[in-house]
Amino acid sequence: MGEEVKAIVPESVLKKRKRSEEWELAKKQELETLKKKNAEKRKLIFNRAKQYAKEYQEQERELIQLKREAKLKGGFYVDPEAKLLFIVRIRGINAMHPKTRKILQLLRLRQIFNGVFLKVNKATMNMLHRVEPYVTYGYPNLKSVRELIYKRGYGKLNKQRVALTDNSIIEQALGKYGIVCMEDLIHEIMTVGPHFKEANNFLWPFKLKAPLGGLKKKRNHYVEGGDAGNRENYINELIRRMN
């Protein structure tokens, strides 16, 4: 017999082969789409960061200009009222009034050296007056906000504490508010934007270290040479020592 016998391939094998090819093609297309999407996202993030940097720079220049003008006229430039507060708990739980403890829980300051951001309004100021001996607070600058979020920033995702290692974590939680990356989050907190509440609730309370060089006297108010209460812009120096 000179003719070669053709090997018959079972139908199930053919079907499996076809299915595998289809899956491979679909996977390849999905991967390409994802690559394209990621490249676009990176571009968007870069442009936003650039825009924010420009905005911060312009604000700084404007501030310098206003100070110079005031000085030329022989007056003083008074800074506008701060919109953002950073609060750090500096005392433990000994001999604490139940109402004070409840306020500290509402502020999410459950442990010593925990820190949170807050919007300045009448309600928060009233709460802070009540817990003033147990906390210290002030007005953080851009450098402090950025360092805290980049170095000690953790998010709340599905009620879990997640380190902010990737922009996708932020996008997953805050994407619906147009906050997709670290710089968006910093900008929203710093400027106390329209979605400050959601962004701040997403951030887990900061777990800071004990301040380098220690505290002076935490039983006394800051104006009496102690540590408690409002220290305005000097909170930035404390953040450097605790971060």
Side-chain angles (χ1 to χ4, degrees), residues 97-223:
H97 191 278
K99 207 164 200 175
T100 309
R101 187 189 292 130
K102 185 68 189 168
I103 291 170
L104 286 170
Q105 279 176 11
L106 288 171
L107 294 172
R108 303 190 298 164
L109 298 171
R110 290 170 179 269
Q111 291 173 313
I112 193 168
F113 300 139
N114 269 15
V116 290
F117 290 114
L118 268 189
K119 189 193 280 191
V120 177
N121 57 30
K122 196 168 183 282
T124 42
M125 293 318 288
N126 286 344
M127 283 164 87
L128 283 175
H129 283 310
R130 181 87 204 210
V131 296
E132 210 158 53
Y134 296 89
V135 297
T136 185
Y137 57 95
Y139 315 128
N141 57 23
L142 176 64
K143 188 174 191 280
S144 298
V145 174
R146 184 174 273 143
E147 279 179 3
L148 281 167
I149 293 174
Y150 269 110
K151 188 175 177 184
R152 293 190 185 265
Y154 281 80
K156 185 160 63 181
L157 211 59
N158 306 324
K159 298 182 180 178
Q160 303 254 308
R161 184 173 184 254
V162 184
L164 301 180
T165 50
D166 193 2
N167 285 329
S168 61
I169 297 163
I170 298 168
E171 191 180 3
Q172 205 178 322
L174 301 168
K176 53 181 175 282
Y177 306 116
I179 299 167
V180 295
C181 63
M182 281 291 237
E183 286 301 324
D184 280 347
L185 185 61
I186 291 163
H187 184 261
E188 194 66 26
I189 295 289
M190 190 62 211
T191 57
V192 187
H195 299 294
F196 172 83
K197 188 182 173 185
E198 291 86 355
N200 197 28
N201 283 344
F202 163 71
L203 281 173
W204 200 277
F206 297 93
K207 292 173 183 274
L208 304 168
K209 67 179 183 188
L212 201 69
L215 294 167
K216 292 191 200 94
K217 194 173 186 182
K218 59 186 178 182
R219 287 195 306 277
N220 286 8
H221 196 285
Y222 187 72
V223 294

Side-chain angles (χ1 to χ4, degrees), residues 18-135:
K18 193 184 176 189
R19 199 165 57 235
S20 296
E21 281 170 6
E22 280 171 5
W23 282 352
E24 210 172 304
L25 188 70
K27 204 175 179 184
K28 202 177 180 183
Q29 283 172 347
E30 204 179 307
L31 206 69
E32 277 174 12
T33 313
L34 197 71
K35 267 186 178 178
K36 209 174 181 183
K37 207 176 171 186
N38 283 346
E40 282 171 13
K41 206 177 285 174
R42 275 202 302 274
K43 203 174 179 183
L44 172 78
I45 287 166
F46 177 76
N47 288 337
R48 278 196 185 177
K50 206 173 174 182
Q51 182 194 323
Y52 295 146
K54 194 181 176 186
E55 191 184 313
Y56 299 140
Q57 215 171 4
E58 278 171 9
Q59 281 174 357
E60 214 170 298
R61 278 188 192 146
E62 193 185 352
L63 188 70
I64 291 165
Q65 188 62 35
L66 289 167
K67 279 182 179 175
R68 280 179 182 162
E69 280 173 17
K71 200 176 178 184
L72 281 170
K73 287 171 187 170
F76 292 100
Y77 175 73
V78 180
D79 286 318
E81 212 169 288
K83 292 187 283 184
L84 181 70
L85 280 174
F86 186 69
I87 297 105
V88 183
R89 182 168 174 173
I90 55 169
R91 280 175 75 179
I93 56 166
N94 284 0
M96 191 186 284
H97 191 278
K99 207 164 200 175
T100 309
R101 187 189 292 130
K102 185 68 189 168
I103 291 170
L104 286 170
Q105 279 176 11
L106 288 171
L107 294 172
R108 303 190 298 164
L109 298 171
R110 290 170 179 269
Q111 291 173 313
I112 193 168
F113 300 139
N114 269 15
V116 290
F117 290 114
L118 268 189
K119 189 193 280 191
V120 177
N121 57 30
K122 196 168 183 282
T124 42
M125 293 318 288
N126 286 344
M127 283 164 87
L128 283 175
H129 283 310
R130 181 87 204 210
V131 296
E132 210 158 53
Y134 296 89
V135 297

